[in-house]
Amino acid sequence: MLRFGLRSKFILLSCFLFLLPWLGYEYVWEMEKFLRQGQEKTLVGTTRALATALHERPALFDEQTNFLDQVVKGRDLYAYNLKSPIQLDGKLSDWDAYQSLFWLYDKRYLQTADDNHQLSNLSFSHMVGKFDNYLYAVFKVTDDTVIYRAKNSLSITNNDYVKIGLKNPDGQFNTYIIAPRQDGWVNAFDANSKMPFTKIQGFFKKTDTGYNLELRFPLSMLGNKLGFAIADVDSKQPNQTPSIMSTSNLNNPNDLGSVLVPSPEINRILKGMGHSGSRIWVVDNHHRVLAQSGSIQNADGVWADGLKNQAPKTAWQRFEQAYLHPLYYKILTRPEDEFIDTLHDVASMQGAHLAKALKGQPASSWRLTPDNKAVILSAAYPIWIEDKVIGAVIAEETTNGVRTLRNKSLEKLFNVILAVMLIGTVTLFFFASRISSRIRRLRDTAEQAIDAQGRVTGHINYSDANDEIGDLSRSFSNIVSRLGGYTDYLENMSSRLSHELRTPVAVVRSSLENLQSLQQSELSQKYLERASEGVERLGKIITTMSEATRLEQSIQSNEPESFDLQKVISGCMQGYQLTYPNQLFTLNICQSTLLMQGAPEFIAQLLDKLINNALEFSEANTAIEVSLKQNESKATLTVSNTGTLLPEGLTEHIFDSMVSVRSQQMQQQPHLGLGLYIVRLVCDYHKGTVTAHNNEQGNGVTFTVSLPLAN
C-alpha cells in the first residue's frame, strides 16, 4: 500500500500552490494572444466594410491626380487639414503645430539655374492647408533685399512679388500676383488685367531675414492644379529681370503641379464610422490622405467597452481598489491614454501594410509608439475601381482595450489566487500547528520520561498514526522501554553484587584466618598477607556498595523531621578538624538558625562525601573552603578545594552512579564512583540541587549545594 509521508504531502501541496499562479498567468497570456488576433481580424473587417462602400465610385476620387505617374513632393501640393482657422497677421504663430510639414525651396527650384545661388539670396518654406471652405497658404521667405511696390507705380512686377497659378474647377488656367506696397493687409491682382482680385486675401510682414506672407482664398475657385512662384528683385531699377523660385512652372499650364484637397464627400462617409472605436484614413494610390476620422488616443476598439474604471459600490470593491490594485499594478501596467503617436505626413503616408493594400492585398501590421507607451495595430484594405486599385482604407487601433481586458482578467485571477493562497496558508498553518503540537507532546513526554541524571522515570505513550511522527513515537517508546530496563539493571547491580559477594568473601576471609593460625613458611605467610589485603579491599568495596543501597532504602522509609542545618554543618566541621589535624579548613558559616525538613544524618553523610572528595583532590598545603549562607528561602552550602580540575563534559555526570574521575595513581583505596552519587540522592531527598564547576581562578573545583528552608 502506497503511503504518503509528511514530506511528500508538503511537496505536493507546495507544487500545487506554485503551479496555480503560473498556469493562470499562462492562460491569460494565451487569451491575450487570441484577443489580439481577434482584434486584427476585426480591424481588417472594418477596413473591408468601408472599402466596399467606396468601390466603383470614381466620382469620389480626382481621376487626373490619381492617375499621375508620380507625385513629386514640393511640386505636387497637399492641403493639410487645419485644426482651426488661421489668423492672417504675418506672425506665423498659428502654423507652429505644422512646422514639420513645411517644405524648403532652395536653388533646386529656381527657374533659371544658378550654381552660385545662396539660401540667403532667396529661399522660402511653404505649405498649404484647408479649413472649412478656404485654402490657406503660408510663405516664410528669406530675401537679402525686400523691394516693395512703389506707391505711384502702375507696374506690379518691378518689385518683389508672389505669383499664384491655378486651374479652376472648369479647367481654366488663371494667374494672380501679390505685390505689397508695405507691411499689412494685401489683395491679389489678376496677372492679365492688372485689376485687383479681392477673393485672394493675405497679410505681408517684413522680417529680419526677408518676409512672411499668409494667404487665403475660397476652395470654390480651385481645381486640381496649383503652383506658387516667388519673384525677387534687388533694386528699384525698371525692367530688370527678377530671380524666380517656384513650386512648379507657372508659365505652362501643363507643367503646373497638382494639389490635393481632402475630399468632403469621403469625409461625410467616414463620419458614419466615427463611433467604431478606430482611427480611419482613406488614401489614394499616391499615399496621400483623402479623408480622416477619429483620434488614435480614443481608438481602443470595442474591446474595452464596459471595462472603464467605475466607482466602487461594495465594501469588497472598495477594499480591492484601495489595497489590492496598488499591489497588482506593481506587476501589471495600465494602458496609457496620453502617448505620442508618430506624426503621419498625410501628404505621403508610408507603411508595409499600405504598400500591400495598394497592390491589391489586405494587410495589417503592429508598431510601437515612439514613447513606448502604446502598441498600435494598423490594417489596410484596397479600394477598387474597375480592375485598378485607386486607393486604400487604413484603420488603426491601440491595444489598450485588449490590455484593459487582460488586466481585468488578471485582477480576477489574482483575487482567486489570493483566496486560494489564503485558504492554503490557513490550512498549512493548522496542519503545521497540529504537527508541531504532536512533536511538542512527544518532546515533553520524552523529557518527562528521563530526568536530568539520565534515569528513566516514566514511559512514552506511542501513537498509532500511520506517518513519520507516529513511527517516531513508537521508536521513542521502544527505546525508553529498553533504556528503562537497562537503567534498572545498573541501579540494582550494586545491591545484587554486594549481596552475592558477601558470602564468598566471608568464606575466603575465614579460610585465610584459619590458615594464618597454622604454622607457615615465610613465603606462605607473605602470600597469606597479600590474600588478606585483597579480601579486605574487596570487603570495603562491598561495604561501599551496601552503603549506597542502604541509603536508598533509608530514604524511601525515612520520615522527615525539622532540624537546624547550621548546627549540623558546624558540628560536622568540628569533627573534621579533629579528624584531619594536618588539613587546613577555612570556614564561613552563618550564625543564624537555618531550619529545614529532612534527615540530619543524611546531611552529615552528604558533607562527609564532599569533604572526602575535597581531601582526595586537594593539593598539599592548601585550604578547603566551606561556606554556608542563607539566600532568601534557601541555604547554600559550598565546598571548594585547590587541585585537579574537572574534565570537560563530566560536570553533569559526576553525580551519576559508578562515575569516577580519579586516575589510576590516585586510587589508593577502592572507588566505585558512588560517593557523589550519594550526595545527589541526599539532595534529591531534600528537594535540593547540587552542582560542580571549576572555580574562576582555574585552579580548583567548587561544589554548591542548594537546600530549601522550612517556611
Side-chain angles (χ1 to χ4, degrees):
M1 178 179 178
L2 182 63
R3 184 181 70 182
F4 287 98
L6 297 176
R7 182 179 180 184
S8 301
K9 294 176 183 175
F10 274 115
I11 292 175
L12 288 175
L13 188 57
S14 300
C15 291
F16 171 73
L17 292 178
F18 173 77
L19 286 175
L20 183 63
W22 180 78
L23 290 174
Y25 182 80
E26 287 296 319
Y27 173 77
V28 173
W29 181 250
E30 290 297 322
M31 181 193 71
E32 182 181 3
K33 290 182 180 178
F34 285 118
L35 288 177
R36 289 197 178 195
Q37 292 176 4
Q39 183 182 18
E40 187 173 0
K41 297 297 182 182
T42 302
L43 196 61
V44 172
T46 300
T47 58
R48 179 179 181 180
L50 186 55
T52 301
L54 300 176
H55 286 331
E56 307 301 334
R57 299 180 67 177
L60 298 177
F61 300 89
D62 187 340
E63 294 184 13
Q64 183 174 354
T65 58
N66 272 285
F67 286 99
L68 290 173
D69 292 335
Q70 185 181 7
V71 172
V72 179
K73 196 166 185 178
R75 183 197 70 184
D76 299 299
L77 305 178
Y78 180 85
Y80 294 91
N81 274 317
L82 303 177
K83 298 179 180 179
S84 59
I86 300 297
Q87 182 178 358
L88 303 180
D89 54 10
K91 298 180 180 180
L92 309 188
S93 58
D94 293 339
W95 301 92
D96 288 343
Y98 312 101
Q99 288 292 330
S100 61
L101 303 177
F102 280 39
W103 188 261
L104 176 63
Y105 294 83
D106 51 18
K107 64 181 181 180
R108 295 172 298 170
Y109 296 89
L110 287 171
Q111 288 191 357
T112 302
D114 183 0
D115 293 337
N116 296 323
H117 183 84
Q118 302 293 326
L119 286 176
S120 57
N121 296 337
L122 178 64
S123 61
F124 68 95
S125 297
H126 162 66
M127 72 165 284
V128 293
K130 165 188 172 295
F131 183 83
D132 202 6
N133 295 320
Y134 287 92
L135 184 77
Y136 292 85
V138 59
F139 302 89
K140 186 177 181 180
V141 181
T142 299
D143 186 359
D144 52 1
T145 303
V146 177
I147 303 298
Y148 291 100
R149 180 167 62 92
K151 293 183 179 181
N152 298 323
S153 174
L154 296 177
S155 173
I156 57 176
T157 58
N158 196 28
N159 46 260
D160 292 343
Y161 63 89
V162 177
K163 186 175 182 181
I164 306 170
L166 58 84
K167 281 188 177 182
N168 60 23
D170 297 330
Q172 182 179 356
F173 177 68
N174 298 314
T175 56
Y176 306 93
I177 291 178
I178 305 292
R181 288 180 174 176
Q182 60 184 8
D183 289 0
W185 193 264
V186 293
N187 288 111
F189 292 90
D190 188 303
N192 295 321
S193 65
K194 306 294 190 296
M195 298 297 294
F197 188 78
T198 57
K199 288 185 178 182
I200 300 179
Q201 302 170 336
F203 196 96
F204 184 93
K205 180 178 178 63
K206 186 178 180 182
T207 64
D208 295 337
T209 58
Y211 59 88
N212 296 333
L213 177 63
E214 293 176 309
L215 296 176
R216 179 184 66 190
F217 57 87
L219 285 172
S220 57
M221 60 180 291
L222 179 64
N224 54 21
K225 293 288 187 178
L226 177 65
F228 297 95
I230 304 295
D232 175 41
V233 296
D234 292 332
S235 68
K236 294 184 179 181
Q237 297 296 326
N239 300 322
Q240 61 178 315
T241 302
S243 296
I244 297 178
M245 184 177 292
S246 61
T247 62
S248 57
N249 185 9
L250 273 63
N251 296 324
N252 186 352
N254 295 325
D255 294 336
L256 201 62
S258 66
V259 60
L260 180 66
V261 178
S263 170
E265 292 81 5
I266 299 178
N267 268 327
R268 282 193 289 271
I269 296 174
L270 289 188
K271 283 185 178 180
M273 302 294 292
H275 302 286
S276 65
S278 305
R279 178 171 67 175
I280 301 175
W281 314 77
V282 176
V283 300
D284 63 8
N285 56 356
H286 296 296
H287 298 229
R288 297 185 296 181
V289 174
L290 303 178
Q292 176 188 353
S293 173
S295 169
I296 191 61
Q297 277 71 22
N298 298 322
D300 52 10
V302 299
W303 305 92
D305 291 350
L307 295 177
K308 299 297 183 182
N309 291 328
Q310 299 177 354
K313 298 179 181 178
T314 63
W316 165 252
Q317 290 176 345
R318 287 190 291 271
F319 173 80
E320 185 181 16
Q321 188 177 60
Y323 299 102
L324 297 183
H325 285 181
L327 179 63
Y328 295 164
Y329 283 94
K330 290 184 180 296
I331 303 173
L332 304 177
T333 56
R334 296 183 185 272
E336 293 284 350
D337 293 330
E338 297 296 330
F339 55 86
I340 300 175
D341 183 25
T342 303
L343 180 61
H344 289 282
D345 184 355
V346 295
S348 181
M349 288 193 69
Q350 302 297 328
H353 58 296
L354 177 58
K356 287 184 178 180
L358 292 178
K359 292 179 181 179
Q361 300 176 358
S364 60
S365 65
W366 300 83
R367 60 182 173 85
L368 192 64
T369 58
D371 55 5
N372 297 329
K373 291 183 178 180
V375 177
I376 296 177
L377 168 64
S378 300
Y381 200 90
I383 302 173
W384 297 86
I385 294 180
E386 295 180 353
D387 294 330
K388 295 182 180 179
V389 176
I390 197 67
V393 176
I394 301 174
E396 293 183 334
E397 291 179 358
T398 66
T399 59
N400 288 355
V402 172
R403 291 173 63 190
T404 301
L405 186 60
R406 178 204 64 187
N407 287 350
K408 293 295 182 182
S409 300
L410 286 174
E411 288 173 14
K412 293 184 180 296
L413 174 64
F414 288 160
N415 289 341
V416 173
I417 292 175
L418 190 62
V420 171
M421 289 293 186
L422 182 61
I423 294 173
T425 301
V426 173
T427 303
L428 286 176
F429 174 77
F430 283 109
F431 185 52
S433 299
R434 181 173 177 271
I435 292 175
S436 61
S437 65
R438 292 174 62 193
I439 295 175
R440 283 196 300 269
R441 285 198 301 269
L442 182 58
R443 179 205 62 190
D444 296 341
T445 305
E447 290 180 351
Q448 293 170 4
I450 302 176
D451 63 11
Q453 288 74 36
R455 293 177 297 176
V456 177
T457 59
H459 64 279
I460 296 179
N461 295 324
Y462 62 84
S463 172
D464 294 329
N466 193 25
D467 56 16
E468 285 86 347
I469 298 179
D471 290 342
L472 185 61
S473 68
R474 289 188 288 274
S475 298
F476 275 13
S477 177
N478 187 23
I479 291 172
V480 169
S481 177
R482 288 185 290 173
L483 183 60
Y486 183 67
T487 304
D488 290 339
Y489 170 76
L490 291 178
E491 291 179 347
N492 295 323
M493 185 176 65
S494 61
S495 62
R496 292 193 186 99
L497 286 175
S498 62
H499 176 73
E500 296 294 334
L501 293 175
R502 193 175 297 278
T503 300
V505 169
V507 172
V508 173
R509 182 181 286 115
S510 62
S511 300
L512 290 175
E513 290 175 354
N514 291 331
L515 286 174
Q516 286 178 344
S517 64
L518 300 177
Q519 186 68 29
Q520 302 289 336
S521 64
E522 183 179 354
L523 183 60
S524 298
Q525 186 64 33
K526 182 179 179 180
Y527 288 144
L528 284 174
E529 289 177 357
R530 291 178 62 183
S532 298
E533 290 177 0
V535 170
E536 186 65 27
R537 188 179 183 91
L538 187 58
K540 288 183 179 180
I541 292 174
I542 295 172
T543 301
T544 303
M545 294 168 62
S546 300
E547 182 183 8
T549 302
R550 286 196 304 271
L551 180 62
E552 291 177 346
Q553 295 172 353
S554 299
I555 285 175
Q556 294 176 1
S557 60
N558 185 76
E559 290 292 334
E561 62 179 88
S562 179
F563 66 94
D564 185 359
L565 178 63
Q566 190 270 341
K567 288 184 178 182
V568 174
I569 300 300
S570 298
C572 291
M573 291 309 302
Q574 291 175 7
Y576 297 141
Q577 288 174 332
L578 294 174
T579 305
Y580 307 106
N582 296 326
Q583 176 63 48
L584 179 62
F585 291 92
T586 301
L587 304 180
N588 184 16
I589 301 175
C590 68
Q591 301 302 313
S592 59
T593 301
L594 301 176
L595 294 178
M596 63 177 296
Q597 292 289 326
E601 64 273 15
F602 292 166
I603 297 297
Q605 197 170 2
L606 175 147
L607 185 59
D608 183 52
K609 299 302 181 184
L610 292 177
I611 294 298
N612 285 337
N613 185 80
L615 287 170
E616 291 184 25
F617 288 96
S618 292
E619 295 180 354
N621 301 321
T622 59
I624 296 176
E625 299 179 4
V626 179
S627 171
L628 179 63
K629 297 180 181 179
Q630 181 179 0
N631 185 11
E632 295 181 354
S633 61
K634 292 183 179 181
T636 303
L637 172 65
T638 60
V639 178
S640 303
N641 67 278
T642 302
T644 306
L645 299 178
L646 291 173
E648 291 186 15
L650 280 180
T651 56
E652 297 293 332
H653 300 287
I654 60 173
F655 298 101
D656 294 344
S657 177
M658 295 187 177
V659 175
S660 176
V661 296
R662 293 172 177 82
S663 62
Q664 293 294 328
Q665 293 80 6
M666 296 181 62
Q667 296 218 12
Q668 301 174 358
Q669 299 292 332
H671 289 281
L672 296 177
L674 295 174
L676 296 180
Y677 174 64
I678 292 174
V679 172
R680 195 198 74 190
L681 291 177
V682 174
C683 286
D684 291 345
Y685 171 73
H686 291 90
K687 299 180 181 179
T689 59
V690 59
T691 58
H693 58 85
N694 297 322
N695 59 27
E696 295 180 356
Q697 292 77 19
N699 60 358
V701 178
T702 298
F703 287 83
T704 303
V705 178
S706 180
L707 299 170
L709 298 175
N711 294 330

